[in-house]
Amino acid sequence: MSENYSEQIKNAIEDYFAKDEWTYDPIDENGVIRTGVGLQCKLRQADIVVVVEDDCFSVYTILPIGADEASRPAVAEFITRANYGMLHGCFEMDFEDGEIRFHTTLYCGDTVPTYDQVETMICLNFLTVDRYGDALIKVMYGLSSPEAAIQEMQETVDG
């Protein structure tokens, strides 16, 4: 995280939150904006962390529970299967503490992101977590194999 961040990118993100009436913590000295979101899956909620840099911003949706040490190999396989072919963003897991999150970044260069671009980045994050959340929980608790959980989730979502 950087102490140098784009004021214009920060303003675009805060404008999005204000217009959509989100409750959020204003940007800190490291360029970080924090908020939360309710989910439809069994996770029920997640934290959203937006990190503003000088030419981009990253969005992290952090799950409220992490993988315990015993389930981390299965969760890693699930995440690898989920990420395969994913066009935008990826799941990540910290093998040290089991934290799981979804991450996207938008490179802005010298431009200011539009409302629609900010909305897409933020919604893409939590909607992806919502889509995969129940399958991930099954893997974390040993109720399903990673392969079966992904297949079942895709059949349910894709109809």
Side-chain angles (χ1 to χ4, degrees), residues 42-80:
K42 290 180 178 26
L43 294 167
R44 305 308 300 153
Q45 63 183 17
D47 293 326
I48 296 178
V49 175
V50 181
V51 181
V52 179
E53 301 287 343
D54 58 348
D55 62 355
C56 66
F57 71 96
S58 297
V59 181
Y60 299 89
T61 300
I62 303 171
L63 280 61
I65 58 173
D68 65 8
E69 196 167 343
S71 69
R72 288 179 197 157
V75 170
E77 180 184 342
F78 175 87
I79 286 171
T80 301

Side-chain angles (χ1 to χ4, degrees), residues 40-130:
Q40 298 299 311
C41 69
K42 290 180 178 26
L43 294 167
R44 305 308 300 153
Q45 63 183 17
D47 293 326
I48 296 178
V49 175
V50 181
V51 181
V52 179
E53 301 287 343
D54 58 348
D55 62 355
C56 66
F57 71 96
S58 297
V59 181
Y60 299 89
T61 300
I62 303 171
L63 280 61
I65 58 173
D68 65 8
E69 196 167 343
S71 69
R72 288 179 197 157
V75 170
E77 180 184 342
F78 175 87
I79 286 171
T80 301
R81 290 177 180 279
N83 285 342
Y84 184 75
M86 198 172 284
L87 294 177
H88 305 288
C90 64
F91 281 98
E92 303 172 335
M93 180 181 66
D94 183 336
F95 266 93
E96 297 300 315
D97 65 8
E99 178 184 271
I100 302 166
R101 63 191 187 183
F102 189 80
H103 169 225
T104 55
T105 298
L106 180 66
Y107 174 73
C108 303
D110 331 352
T111 64
V112 177
T114 66
Y115 174 92
D116 289 341
Q117 288 172 313
V118 173
E119 179 179 49
T120 297
M121 294 297 292
I122 291 170
C123 292
L124 173 66
N125 262 261
F126 74 80
L127 291 174
T128 302
V129 169
D130 217 5

Side-chain angles (χ1 to χ4, degrees), residues 3-40:
E3 291 192 14
N4 297 319
Y5 59 83
S6 166
E7 192 72 24
Q8 293 82 10
I9 296 173
K10 175 205 76 122
N11 290 341
I13 293 164
E14 288 187 335
D15 286 348
Y16 166 76
F17 283 141
K19 285 181 184 172
D20 276 22
E21 299 179 355
W22 287 64
T23 302
Y24 66 95
D25 295 334
I27 198 163
D28 67 16
E29 66 278 356
N30 293 315
V32 176
I33 301 169
R34 296 178 188 276
T35 189
V37 66
L39 302 172
Q40 298 299 311

